[in-house]
Amino acid sequence: MVSQEKVEAQPFADIFDEDEAEKSFLLSKPTCFVVFGKPGSGRKTLARRLAQIWKCTFIEALEVIQENIREETEDGLKCQELLFRGQSVPEELVTKMILKKIESPEVAHFGYILCGFPSLSEEYMTVSQQIEKIKNLKLKPDFLINIKCSDFDLCKRLSGQRQRPDSGQLYQKNQWDPNVIEKLKKMKDELKEESEEEQEEQEEEVIAEDPFEMSKILPELVQRPEDIRENAEERVKIYKDIMLHPLEDLMAEQDSLYLIELDGNKQPNDLFKNIYTFYYYYFNKQDELFRVLSSCKLIANRYRWRRSRWGQACPVALKEGDIVMGIPDLAVSFLGKMYVLSSSDALKAFMLNPRPYLLPPMPLPPCKVLVFGPPLSGRTTVCNLIANKYHGKV
């Protein structure tokens, strides 16, 4: 007898087809961050940089207020009216706008980086209640980033800050103080003997601004009231009394692999490099891989973008039960496929969050049924039965 040969599985075969991989990505949760730290520790700078690199949504109180005012939303008009009167925006309204932003379609697709929440103000909610809100979010944070810095170093740095009133830009002491700049010049001369690559890196850290340009704007720089040494020390004391212990409890509950603690004495670029290295080498998730691939115009030579499975039909219109052909000028690419939208509103909705328009049972061919008959013949009953059976609208 001839023995039947066993068919061995191919070791390098991909067991997932393209549709399953795309569906897995569309169902995946976007990466979300929360950044903590003492006042003036550089939370906002780091969070904004992370949001730019990872294409996440940067969520912070001032940013959310300005966005609502620009878009003239109901909450934005309230904020604008209060600010015109010289009043501050109430904490309740700020918290409402932040939570509404976290639940927005673009955040559901891109994820978020939350900064400045919980806040020190307990006018509307206590710090513990704000932390409970974070724990109960639909999109829970994946990473907690804590910037640590000693009180002495932080207050010293804050008291050395100066601000340019017209632009609002802040300058550290090593950027505006002539004596410190002179010392840094001497250090630069001593570093000339080192290799060119190391010298360039250290020059970037040592002198962030052109000394000649700084001499022009030096008379314009002012010290903010909150940066005065006594006020800075008071802010840090309030943070330690109100915020520190609840945050420590939150971080104690977090998986240590997803808790990143950074040295606040380092430059913002160094802090960002630490996070990037940590995330890339330990948690290089599938959504990040897909995001990188989807940003490429050509995957390989002679490999062009393909149309989606429903051709030139608009996916946003299909979701609403209509077949509308898209306009070529409103075409976008996502995960290696082309999608043609039918209007600017559809394009905006698709770019904020394409997932609802791509997940099964999309594309769902629409079917329109007209039921008619004499009065009391059961038209309404039949309509409701058909709608319930096929998930339609009456």
Side-chain angles (χ1 to χ4, degrees):
M1 295 177 62
V2 181
S3 60
Q4 295 181 352
E5 296 182 357
K6 295 182 179 180
V7 180
E8 297 183 358
Q10 298 180 6
F12 298 106
D14 188 356
I15 61 174
F16 298 103
D17 62 20
E18 184 180 356
D19 292 338
E20 289 176 348
E22 183 174 321
K23 182 180 177 181
S24 175
F25 168 74
L26 294 173
L27 290 172
S28 66
K29 175 186 175 295
T31 307
C32 303
F33 302 82
V34 179
V35 183
F36 302 120
K38 296 176 183 176
S41 59
R43 297 169 299 172
K44 190 172 179 180
T45 303
L46 178 64
R48 193 184 294 277
R49 179 77 186 277
L50 284 171
Q52 290 173 349
I53 297 299
W54 267 292
K55 310 301 182 197
C56 293
T57 304
F58 174 56
I59 301 179
E60 188 261 343
L62 181 59
E63 193 81 12
V64 171
I65 292 172
Q66 291 175 343
E67 181 182 349
N68 277 269
I69 291 175
R70 281 196 307 269
E71 295 181 358
E72 297 183 351
T73 63
E74 183 180 351
D75 294 332
L77 294 175
K78 289 180 183 177
C79 294
Q80 193 171 34
E81 184 179 352
L82 290 169
L83 293 173
F84 281 157
R85 292 178 186 172
Q87 302 175 3
S88 60
V89 181
E91 197 69 26
E92 181 179 0
L93 183 57
V94 175
T95 304
K96 175 186 173 184
M97 289 188 292
I98 288 175
L99 296 177
K100 189 175 180 180
K101 183 67 176 178
I102 293 176
E103 297 172 357
S104 62
E106 63 266 33
V107 170
H109 177 54
F110 293 104
Y112 63 81
I113 295 181
L114 181 61
C115 174
F117 188 86
S119 67
L120 286 174
S121 172
E122 294 187 313
E123 176 188 336
Y124 171 57
M125 298 172 65
T126 65
V127 171
S128 299
Q129 290 173 335
Q130 294 178 63
I131 290 177
E132 281 300 315
K133 281 285 185 183
I134 294 176
K135 290 180 181 179
N136 296 325
L137 288 173
K138 185 178 179 181
L139 288 177
K140 291 181 172 57
D142 299 289
F143 290 91
L144 300 183
I145 301 173
N146 183 31
I147 303 176
K148 303 174 71 174
C149 187
S150 68
D151 297 350
F152 176 80
D153 293 336
L154 181 60
C155 293
K156 181 181 178 182
R157 187 172 70 199
L158 291 176
S159 61
Q161 283 187 158
R162 296 293 183 270
Q163 186 181 44
R164 191 174 182 182
D166 56 350
S167 64
Q169 185 174 354
L170 291 173
Y171 294 89
Q172 300 297 327
K173 192 170 185 178
N174 63 347
Q175 295 175 302
W176 64 265
D177 191 331
N179 296 328
V180 177
I181 294 174
E182 186 64 29
K183 289 181 182 179
L184 295 178
K185 282 183 180 179
K186 292 179 180 178
M187 290 175 58
K188 177 184 173 184
D189 295 335
E190 293 174 0
L191 294 173
K192 284 184 178 179
E193 298 178 358
E194 299 183 8
S195 63
E196 293 182 2
E197 183 176 349
E198 292 179 352
Q199 184 178 354
E200 288 177 0
E201 292 177 357
Q202 294 183 21
E203 283 178 7
E204 289 179 1
E205 295 179 0
V206 168
I207 300 178
E209 297 286 342
D210 183 6
F212 180 72
E213 291 295 327
M214 284 305 303
S215 64
K216 291 182 179 179
I217 65 174
L218 185 59
E220 304 175 13
L221 301 182
V222 297
Q223 186 178 31
R224 301 183 302 175
E226 60 264 33
D227 290 338
I228 297 173
R229 185 65 178 246
E230 292 78 11
N231 295 340
E233 291 174 350
E234 182 64 23
R235 289 166 63 199
V236 172
K237 182 179 181 301
I238 294 174
Y239 175 87
K240 292 172 69 175
D241 292 342
I242 297 177
M243 184 83 70
L244 188 58
H245 294 298
L247 283 183
E248 287 178 342
D249 294 338
L250 174 64
M251 290 185 285
E253 298 174 6
Q254 180 78 358
D255 187 341
S256 59
L257 289 176
Y258 296 86
L259 174 62
I260 306 174
E261 294 190 305
L262 303 174
D263 182 3
N265 288 320
K266 292 185 177 180
Q267 297 291 328
N269 287 339
D270 294 333
L271 296 181
F272 174 77
K273 288 177 184 177
N274 291 342
I275 295 177
Y276 183 82
T277 303
F278 178 88
Y279 183 87
Y280 182 80
Y281 287 104
Y282 291 92
F283 298 100
N284 191 8
K285 295 185 178 180
Q286 187 177 5
D287 61 341
E288 182 66 21
L289 177 61
F290 272 114
R291 191 175 300 170
V292 172
L293 290 177
S294 65
S295 65
C296 302
K297 294 301 180 185
L298 287 176
I299 298 176
N301 292 332
R302 304 174 66 84
Y303 193 106
R304 298 285 175 180
W305 291 110
R306 295 169 297 152
R307 283 189 177 184
S308 63
R309 68 185 64 183
W310 45 96
Q312 201 171 344
C314 174
V316 176
L318 279 176
K319 187 72 175 179
E320 298 172 355
D322 298 321
I323 299 179
V324 181
M325 292 298 105
I327 303 171
D329 291 341
L330 300 179
V332 294
S333 61
F334 182 65
L335 297 182
K337 295 177 182 175
M338 291 174 59
Y339 299 91
V340 189
L341 287 308
S342 57
S343 66
S344 56
D345 291 339
L347 176 65
K348 182 179 179 181
F350 187 83
M351 293 190 69
L352 285 178
N353 187 2
R355 302 185 188 215
Y357 309 107
L358 303 182
L359 283 168
M362 287 290 292
L364 182 64
C367 177
K368 298 180 181 180
V369 178
L370 173 63
V371 179
F372 58 93
L376 304 177
S377 63
R379 294 172 300 177
T380 304
T381 304
V382 172
C383 285
N384 289 329
L385 289 173
I386 294 175
N388 291 332
K389 175 68 175 176
Y390 296 103
H391 306 289
K393 292 181 181 180
V394 177

